[in-house]
Amino acid sequence: VLGRTLWQLFTVLKGFSKGETSLLSSWMLVVTFALAFYFILSGFFDMAKGIGELFGISLRSSFYYPYQGASISDFTYRFHSTLRKVVVNGVYLPLVDESQSVLADIAALLISNMLFGLWFGFTFNYALWGAFLALFLLLEKYVYPKALGKLPTVLGRLYTVVVVLLSFPLITENSFGGTFTLYRNLFSFTGSTIPLYNDKIIYIITSNWFVLLIAAVLSINAIENFSRWLRQTVPKFSRVAQVTVTVVLFILVTAVLV
């Protein structure tokens, strides 16, 4: 439900004309896509997991707060970990084999990540998205592994979010021209090409602030950590709260679907 709502918001932002586009609307376009992409995919997996439980089949969680990753490598394992393991074990490792060649490792990482991207959409854009992630995986492995390891957790997560957001214009647009324009708009900080903001994007944000806030909170493990703390400190109240939240969510989801 949340993923669908965010996708509708993304569609509205994508429909902005050239005169309506601003720096803020461009960044909101990428952010809403990132959140919608995550919630839609993780929602489908949760449904599959629930159906599996009905038949006595237990599936491990495949999405675990990817935007909290401390690196792009961490992000790729949190973002559909099942697919990541299949790609690594079925493509990357056989290609590398026991070779110590850096070139072989680069080629294997590039090919496996392009296939990783193609799983989400069988187009050149998604292959390019996978290659973009592969570039940063290689940088983390060969260029700045020590520096990345010394980064505070907050900065590591900020680095991950920025890189991932900058990767999404490759798949939000249908043409190279559209992708180039979006990248240009994302870095138009001077306001000379497009305005920094306008009344329309302010209206969109103020009209949807609650959905965006809920999505931001649910995309990290803050509620999970709070729930764990609640169970440890006041277990009786925790059980009551859990039942209450479940009932409220059930009513809200049913109301939206109906």
Side-chain angles (χ1 to χ4, degrees), residues 56-123:
I57 302 172
S58 296
L59 298 175
R60 297 180 64 182
S61 296
S62 197
F63 293 86
Y64 187 73
Y65 307 111
Y67 300 126
Q68 279 197 178
S71 64
I72 299 303
S73 177
D74 192 17
F75 167 81
T76 56
Y77 275 100
R78 288 169 174 261
F79 194 85
H80 210 322
S81 60
T82 304
L83 174 64
R84 187 65 188 170
K85 290 174 183 177
V86 170
V87 170
V88 169
N89 295 329
V91 180
Y92 173 73
L93 292 178
L95 285 176
V96 174
D97 199 11
E98 295 182 0
S99 173
Q100 299 297 317
S101 170
V102 174
L103 289 177
D105 190 39
I106 292 173
L109 261 175
L110 185 61
I111 293 171
S112 60
N113 276 277
M114 289 176 73
L115 291 173
F116 178 82
L118 285 171
W119 187 91
F120 297 97
F122 199 72
T123 65

